[in-house]
Amino acid sequence: ENFAAIEQSLLRSPIQRMAGPAFTPCFMRNLIMCQTTFILTPVTYKLYFPQDQKNKTTLLWYGLGMNIFVGNAAAITQQTLWGRSLDYLAKHGQINYTNVIKEGLLSEGVGAFFTAPRWFSRVLMNCPAQGALPFIYNEVLPLGEATYLSFIKNCIYEPFLAEVENLEARRIEGGASSTLRISNRSSCSPAASDN
Protein backbone atom coordinates (compact mmCIF):
# COMPACT_ATOMS: atom_id res chain seq x y z
CA GLU A 1 0.00 0.00 0.00
CA ASN A 2 2.78 2.44 0.96
CA PHE A 3 4.88 1.24 -1.94
CA ALA A 4 2.05 1.83 -4.44
CA ALA A 5 1.62 5.38 -3.12
CA ILE A 6 5.36 6.01 -3.40
CA GLU A 7 5.40 4.65 -6.94
CA GLN A 8 2.49 6.91 -7.93
CA SER A 9 4.23 9.97 -6.49
CA LEU A 10 7.29 9.44 -8.70
CA LEU A 11 5.38 10.38 -11.89
CA ARG A 12 7.87 8.57 -14.10
CA SER A 13 7.55 7.10 -17.57
CA PRO A 14 6.00 3.62 -17.97
CA ILE A 15 9.46 2.08 -18.54
CA GLN A 16 10.80 3.61 -15.33
CA ARG A 17 7.73 2.39 -13.47
CA MET A 18 8.23 -1.16 -14.78
CA ALA A 19 11.88 -1.04 -13.72
CA GLY A 20 10.81 0.25 -10.32
CA PRO A 21 12.34 2.77 -7.97
CA ALA A 22 15.90 2.14 -6.85
CA PHE A 23 16.48 0.15 -10.04
CA THR A 24 20.14 1.18 -10.30
CA PRO A 25 21.42 -0.79 -7.28
CA CYS A 26 19.36 -3.81 -8.30
CA PHE A 27 20.78 -3.62 -11.81
CA MET A 28 24.33 -3.22 -10.47
CA ARG A 29 23.94 -6.22 -8.17
CA ASN A 30 22.82 -8.38 -11.09
CA LEU A 31 25.57 -7.00 -13.32
CA ILE A 32 28.22 -7.82 -10.71
CA MET A 33 26.95 -11.37 -10.30
CA CYS A 34 26.70 -12.01 -14.05
CA GLN A 35 30.14 -10.57 -14.75
CA THR A 36 31.62 -12.69 -11.95
CA THR A 37 29.98 -15.86 -13.23
CA PHE A 38 30.29 -15.48 -16.99
CA ILE A 39 33.44 -13.37 -17.47
CA LEU A 40 35.67 -13.09 -14.40
CA THR A 41 35.56 -16.75 -13.35
CA PRO A 42 36.16 -18.36 -16.79
CA VAL A 43 38.81 -15.83 -17.87
CA THR A 44 40.82 -15.94 -14.65
CA TYR A 45 40.53 -19.73 -14.47
CA LYS A 46 41.77 -20.05 -18.04
CA LEU A 47 44.61 -17.54 -17.76
CA TYR A 48 45.85 -17.83 -14.18
CA PHE A 49 44.92 -21.22 -12.75
CA PRO A 50 47.85 -23.70 -12.89
CA GLN A 51 47.47 -25.75 -16.06
CA ASP A 52 48.44 -29.05 -14.44
CA GLN A 53 45.72 -28.65 -11.80
CA LYS A 54 42.82 -27.86 -14.14
CA ASN A 55 40.05 -30.45 -13.94
CA LYS A 56 36.32 -30.69 -13.27
CA THR A 57 36.69 -30.50 -9.49
CA THR A 58 38.96 -27.45 -9.45
CA LEU A 59 36.66 -25.63 -11.91
CA LEU A 60 33.67 -26.26 -9.63
CA TRP A 61 35.46 -25.07 -6.48
CA TYR A 62 37.08 -22.12 -8.25
CA GLY A 63 33.66 -20.99 -9.53
CA LEU A 64 32.14 -21.34 -6.06
CA GLY A 65 35.05 -19.47 -4.48
CA MET A 66 34.84 -16.59 -6.96
CA ASN A 67 31.10 -16.38 -6.39
CA ILE A 68 31.39 -16.46 -2.60
CA PHE A 69 34.38 -14.19 -2.04
CA VAL A 70 34.26 -11.83 -5.01
CA GLY A 71 30.79 -11.65 -6.55
CA ASN A 72 28.69 -11.85 -3.41
CA ALA A 73 31.03 -9.66 -1.39
CA ALA A 74 30.47 -6.85 -3.92
CA ALA A 75 26.83 -7.63 -4.72
CA ILE A 76 25.71 -7.49 -1.07
CA THR A 77 26.65 -3.81 -0.92
CA GLN A 78 24.33 -3.14 -3.86
CA GLN A 79 21.54 -5.23 -2.39
CA THR A 80 21.77 -3.27 0.85
CA LEU A 81 21.89 0.01 -1.10
CA TRP A 82 18.74 -1.10 -2.89
CA GLY A 83 16.86 -1.61 0.38
CA ARG A 84 18.20 1.60 1.94
CA SER A 85 17.24 3.53 -1.22
CA LEU A 86 13.66 2.34 -0.94
CA ASP A 87 13.57 3.40 2.72
CA TYR A 88 14.98 6.81 1.73
CA LEU A 89 12.37 7.09 -1.02
CA ALA A 90 9.55 6.39 1.45
CA LYS A 91 10.84 9.10 3.77
CA HIS A 92 11.86 11.80 1.26
CA GLY A 93 9.81 11.09 -1.86
CA GLN A 94 12.84 10.75 -4.14
CA ILE A 95 16.15 8.92 -4.16
CA ASN A 96 19.50 10.61 -3.78
CA TYR A 97 22.08 7.82 -3.76
CA THR A 98 24.83 10.06 -2.40
CA ASN A 99 22.70 10.94 0.62
CA VAL A 100 21.63 7.31 1.08
CA ILE A 101 25.27 6.19 1.23
CA LYS A 102 26.33 9.09 3.50
CA GLU A 103 23.49 8.50 5.94
CA GLY A 104 24.22 4.78 6.06
CA LEU A 105 27.94 5.27 6.65
CA LEU A 106 27.34 7.95 9.30
CA SER A 107 24.80 5.88 11.20
CA GLU A 108 26.33 2.38 10.98
CA GLY A 109 29.69 2.69 9.26
CA VAL A 110 30.68 -0.02 6.80
CA GLY A 111 28.19 -2.31 8.55
CA ALA A 112 25.43 -0.34 6.85
CA PHE A 113 26.35 -2.07 3.59
CA PHE A 114 28.35 -5.14 4.53
CA THR A 115 28.05 -7.49 7.49
CA ALA A 116 29.03 -11.11 7.88
CA PRO A 117 25.42 -12.28 8.51
CA ARG A 118 24.16 -10.48 5.37
CA TRP A 119 27.01 -11.90 3.31
CA PHE A 120 26.47 -15.39 4.70
CA SER A 121 22.72 -15.36 4.00
CA ARG A 122 23.34 -14.06 0.48
CA VAL A 123 25.94 -16.78 -0.13
CA LEU A 124 23.55 -19.50 1.07
CA MET A 125 20.78 -18.14 -1.15
CA ASN A 126 22.82 -17.51 -4.27
CA CYS A 127 26.07 -19.41 -4.37
CA PRO A 128 25.10 -23.04 -4.98
CA ALA A 129 23.29 -22.17 -8.21
CA GLN A 130 25.28 -19.26 -9.58
CA GLY A 131 28.70 -20.34 -8.35
CA ALA A 132 28.38 -23.70 -10.06
CA LEU A 133 27.35 -22.28 -13.46
CA PRO A 134 30.86 -22.24 -15.01
CA PHE A 135 31.24 -25.90 -14.04
CA ILE A 136 27.78 -26.76 -15.38
CA TYR A 137 28.37 -24.97 -18.70
CA ASN A 138 31.79 -26.55 -19.24
CA GLU A 139 31.37 -30.02 -17.80
CA VAL A 140 27.71 -31.00 -17.46
CA LEU A 141 25.98 -29.50 -20.50
CA PRO A 142 28.42 -31.02 -23.02
CA LEU A 143 27.43 -34.50 -21.77
CA GLY A 144 24.03 -34.18 -23.44
CA GLU A 145 25.01 -31.82 -26.24
CA ALA A 146 25.27 -34.45 -29.02
CA THR A 147 21.87 -35.95 -28.14
CA TYR A 148 20.25 -32.52 -27.90
CA LEU A 149 21.71 -31.30 -31.20
CA SER A 150 20.69 -34.57 -32.89
CA PHE A 151 17.14 -34.14 -31.56
CA ILE A 152 16.98 -30.53 -32.80
CA LYS A 153 18.31 -31.57 -36.21
CA ASN A 154 15.99 -34.56 -36.67
CA CYS A 155 12.83 -33.20 -35.06
CA ILE A 156 12.94 -29.49 -35.82
CA TYR A 157 15.53 -28.42 -38.37
CA GLU A 158 15.15 -31.14 -41.03
CA PRO A 159 11.31 -31.22 -40.95
CA PHE A 160 11.26 -27.42 -41.13
CA LEU A 161 13.75 -27.37 -43.99
CA ALA A 162 11.74 -30.05 -45.85
CA GLU A 163 8.56 -28.00 -45.39
CA VAL A 164 10.29 -24.87 -46.68
CA GLU A 165 11.55 -26.78 -49.72
CA ASN A 166 8.04 -28.18 -50.35
CA LEU A 167 6.52 -24.70 -50.11
CA GLU A 168 9.16 -23.31 -52.44
CA ALA A 169 8.56 -26.13 -54.94
CA ARG A 170 4.78 -25.53 -54.79
CA ARG A 171 5.31 -21.80 -55.21
CA ILE A 172 7.51 -22.33 -58.25
CA GLU A 173 5.11 -24.94 -59.65
CA GLY A 174 2.14 -22.69 -58.89
CA GLY A 175 3.90 -19.74 -60.52
CA ALA A 176 4.65 -21.81 -63.61
CA SER A 177 1.08 -23.11 -63.87
CA SER A 178 -0.39 -19.65 -63.35
CA THR A 179 1.93 -18.33 -66.07
CA LEU A 180 0.79 -21.20 -68.28
CA ARG A 181 -2.87 -20.41 -67.53
CA ILE A 182 -2.35 -16.73 -68.37
CA SER A 183 -0.58 -17.57 -71.62
CA ASN A 184 -3.34 -20.09 -72.48
CA ARG A 185 -6.00 -17.45 -71.88
CA SER A 186 -4.21 -14.91 -74.00
CA SER A 187 -3.75 -17.43 -76.83
CA CYS A 188 -7.38 -18.55 -76.56
CA SER A 189 -8.89 -15.08 -76.52
CA PRO A 190 -8.01 -14.15 -80.13
CA ALA A 191 -9.33 -17.50 -81.26
CA ALA A 192 -12.47 -16.94 -79.27
CA SER A 193 -12.91 -13.53 -80.84
CA ASP A 194 -12.37 -14.99 -84.31
CA ASN A 195 -15.10 -17.55 -83.73
Side-chain angles (χ1 to χ4, degrees):
E1 199 172 277
N2 287 343
F3 189 71
I6 291 167
E7 212 170 29
Q8 289 297 323
S9 72
L10 293 174
L11 300 173
R12 295 183 176 187
S13 72
I15 293 172
Q16 289 172 317
R17 283 185 182 223
M18 282 189 290
F23 177 71
T24 304
C26 177
F27 170 78
M28 290 306 299
R29 179 203 59 189
N30 292 334
L31 180 71
I32 289 166
M33 294 310 300
C34 289
Q35 298 307 310
T36 302
T37 300
F38 297 111
I39 295 176
L40 189 62
T41 298
V43 168
T44 56
Y45 185 82
K46 179 182 178 183
L47 296 178
Y48 302 112
F49 202 84
Q51 193 67 30
D52 59 333
Q53 294 179 15
K54 287 183 181 177
N55 59 46
K56 295 175 184 180
T57 305
T58 59
L59 176 60
L60 173 64
W61 286 108
Y62 187 78
L64 288 171
M66 288 293 284
N67 188 275
I68 292 169
F69 297 109
V70 177
N72 277 302
I76 192 165
T77 63
Q78 298 305 300
Q79 186 165 339
T80 305
L81 178 61
W82 185 17
R84 286 182 171 274
S85 298
L86 292 174
D87 292 342
Y88 188 91
L89 176 64
K91 189 189 288 185
H92 300 285
Q94 63 180 4
I95 298 173
N96 182 327
Y97 292 113
T98 305
N99 288 345
V100 172
I101 293 167
K102 282 181 183 176
E103 285 181 11
L105 291 173
L106 286 173
S107 66
E108 298 175 47
V110 176
F113 298 99
F114 187 93
T115 62
R118 283 185 191 141
W119 172 74
F120 187 69
S121 65
R122 175 145 181 87
V123 165
L124 287 178
M125 171 187 70
N126 183 295
C127 188
Q130 196 155 6
L133 281 177
F135 169 78
I136 291 168
Y137 280 138
N138 289 292
E139 300 298 335
V140 177
L141 289 181
L143 296 175
E145 186 175 16
T147 304
Y148 175 76
L149 292 176
S150 174
F151 172 80
I152 295 296
K153 180 183 174 202
N154 295 331
C155 297
I156 297 174
Y157 178 72
E158 286 180 352
F160 176 75
L161 188 59
E163 184 64 28
V164 168
E165 288 171 353
N166 285 339
L167 288 172
E168 184 65 20
R170 280 189 253 152
R171 186 186 65 79
I172 291 170
E173 184 180 293
S177 65
S178 65
T179 306
L180 182 61
R181 274 187 243 120
I182 291 169
S183 62
N184 284 345
R185 276 191 213 135
S186 60
S187 62
C188 291
S189 53
S193 62
D194 290 338
N195 290 333

